[in-house]
Amino acid sequence: MNGLSPIRFPVPTIVWPRRMEQEETDLIEFELRQEPELVRQKEKSQPFLFAHQRDAFRELQRTALAFSQTKWWDLSIRPRFDRLLVAPTGTGKTHLVQALAEFLKWPFLSISASNWVLFGCPDRGGKQTWPLIASWLAGGNSFRLLFLDELDKVSGDDTWSRHLRTELYNLLDRTIPPGLQFDGSGDGEEHVIDAPKIRRTKSLYTLRFRTLILGGAAFQDAWEERRVKRAGFHLVDDPGEPPTHDDLTSHLPRELLNRFGPLVVMRPLAESDYEKLLAEAVRCIPDGLRENFLRIGRKAAPAACRDGKGARFIEEVLTNALIDTLPRKLQEKRQKSVRLSAG
């Protein structure tokens, strides 16, 4: 094993369902090479984040480091590391989680609940989601990050929503559907006896001991319910306090919410936040675009705040700056062409 001695990870005896006893035995027998210690936080470069994202990033960072650097698997009770990121649309939830995965150097998989294809459904509408997750899990035994976005869209009473919640419960409870088939392909295991069983064991091990799951949800209605409009001809939106855990139970079953640890919340952006977005983003803008970028952005900031554009506001400002700059660039090219012809 390349000079590295195998280690065995104990499996908690009170956490997993009784029907998983055989798989627990397989996990105990499954030997993995000892991995190098994670690079320390101070040795890694910080990703680009906007000011309103940094507190949430630090909280998720602390959770991820505790998940990967403490021997919690020796405990008889499994800690609840999974977190639910609650933030209105446009605040950059996906960017934040991607930045965390890049900082940690962990493999990253993002799945939207609205695009989830149920296990056992025909593949005509796309590949079933659980086999996709299982294949990703079987790809290695390193720590990894799984992001489940748009969880606020699975609250319906229709058949699809009920079955989807059941599959999400399985995932968050770290169980793989019993009927899920593994073909044994990959990792050079095609000709190994019991290769599907090996891949199933790898996937289950990685899911239970190596995968941090983060959920994302906008809960836009919950934010709207807490909106306060000040009196007067010019109404200013004040989001006030963020929605609480109890507020969210009217939008999502408590059974799902309680599978996550404490909420991580990013509030809606105020007009001053849009000014900060411009100030931070302009550092990434080429010199020839900066003047237009700032001029257009400052003019558009009040409307962006009113419409709740969020971080997408920067993309719109950059697009408009490019469009506004184009005629000047074309005019400069024409003038240069005329000078060359005259010369």
Side-chain angles (χ1 to χ4, degrees):
M1 301 182 64
N2 297 329
L4 294 175
S5 58
I7 59 174
R8 298 175 185 271
F9 290 91
V11 178
T13 57
I14 69 170
V15 175
W16 313 119
R18 189 176 299 275
R19 64 186 175 85
M20 303 296 290
E21 287 179 355
Q22 181 57 49
E23 289 183 335
E24 289 179 16
T25 302
D26 293 340
L27 284 177
I28 294 172
E29 297 300 324
F30 184 48
E31 296 183 338
L32 296 169
R33 290 181 299 173
Q34 191 170 3
E35 296 181 352
E37 185 178 0
L38 289 178
V39 178
R40 294 297 180 184
Q41 175 180 347
K42 64 181 180 180
E43 297 174 353
K44 301 179 181 180
S45 58
Q46 289 285 351
F48 177 80
L49 295 168
F50 293 114
H52 72 279
Q53 298 172 324
R54 290 173 190 151
D55 287 344
F57 179 85
R58 282 191 288 267
E59 180 64 21
L60 294 177
Q61 182 185 62
R62 290 173 64 243
T63 299
L65 293 175
F67 175 76
S68 60
Q69 296 189 11
T70 59
K71 294 183 178 180
W72 54 266
W73 49 77
D74 288 334
L75 303 174
S76 58
I77 300 175
R78 182 188 179 96
R80 194 172 297 278
F81 287 110
D82 298 340
R83 305 295 293 272
L84 179 61
L85 178 60
V86 177
T89 180
T91 47
K93 294 183 291 296
T94 302
H95 169 73
L96 176 67
V97 179
Q98 284 178 330
L100 178 64
E102 291 173 5
F103 171 81
L104 296 167
K105 309 299 183 188
W106 290 4
F108 175 67
L109 178 63
S110 177
I111 295 175
S112 172
S114 59
N115 296 327
W116 191 287
V117 179
L118 295 173
F119 180 55
C121 289
D123 285 341
R124 291 190 297 271
K127 187 175 181 180
Q128 297 171 22
T129 302
W130 246 117
L132 174 67
I133 295 173
S135 177
W136 178 71
L137 292 169
N141 62 342
S142 61
F143 288 105
R144 52 194 57 216
L145 188 60
L146 175 59
F147 183 48
L148 304 176
D149 200 8
E150 298 186 328
L151 289 182
D152 49 329
K153 297 183 179 179
V154 300
S155 59
D157 291 327
D158 56 285
T159 301
W160 177 83
S161 295
R162 291 197 300 271
H163 283 289
L164 173 53
R165 287 197 295 271
T166 299
E167 295 195 5
L168 288 172
Y169 297 156
N170 285 336
L171 182 59
L172 292 167
D173 292 341
R174 301 319 201 263
T175 59
I176 293 177
L180 186 61
Q181 300 296 317
F182 289 79
D183 59 10
S185 61
D187 298 331
E189 296 169 350
E190 295 86 345
H191 306 295
V192 177
I193 298 175
D194 289 336
K197 182 179 179 181
I198 292 173
R199 283 180 65 79
R200 183 182 184 88
T201 301
K202 280 186 176 182
S203 296
L204 189 57
Y205 173 88
T206 305
L207 177 60
R208 288 185 177 180
F209 300 112
R210 292 297 206 223
T211 303
L212 178 63
I213 300 177
L214 300 179
F219 290 110
Q220 201 65 32
D221 291 341
W223 290 101
E224 296 292 336
E225 289 167 6
R226 282 184 162 257
R227 239 178 182 185
V228 177
K229 290 195 172 181
R230 300 173 188 159
F233 293 103
H234 179 61
L235 298 181
V236 180
D237 288 332
D238 181 1
E241 294 296 317
T244 64
H245 191 280
D246 286 339
D247 292 333
L248 300 184
T249 58
S250 62
H251 302 272
L252 202 63
R254 192 180 293 273
E255 188 178 4
L256 181 55
L257 287 172
N258 287 349
R259 280 174 162 82
F260 293 95
L263 300 177
V264 179
V265 179
M266 285 196 297
R267 62 174 175 78
L269 303 185
E271 189 167 335
S272 59
D273 292 313
Y274 284 90
E275 294 290 343
K276 291 178 182 177
L277 286 179
L278 284 172
E280 293 171 336
V282 75
R283 293 178 295 172
C284 306
I285 303 299
D287 292 342
L289 280 176
R290 285 184 180 178
E291 184 179 350
N292 264 2
F293 179 82
L294 285 174
R295 177 180 58 80
I296 293 171
R298 287 167 179 161
K299 183 178 179 180
C305 179
R306 183 191 63 233
D307 298 336
K309 292 285 187 179
R312 297 188 181 97
F313 159 72
I314 294 298
E315 299 169 359
E316 292 187 6
V317 171
L318 179 58
T319 302
N320 290 331
L322 288 168
I323 292 172
D324 188 69
T325 304
L326 183 60
R328 179 167 57 84
K329 293 290 185 182
L330 292 176
Q331 181 64 24
E332 289 175 355
K333 286 185 177 180
R334 293 193 192 98
Q335 291 175 352
K336 183 176 180 180
S337 178
V338 169
R339 287 196 300 270
L340 291 174
S341 298

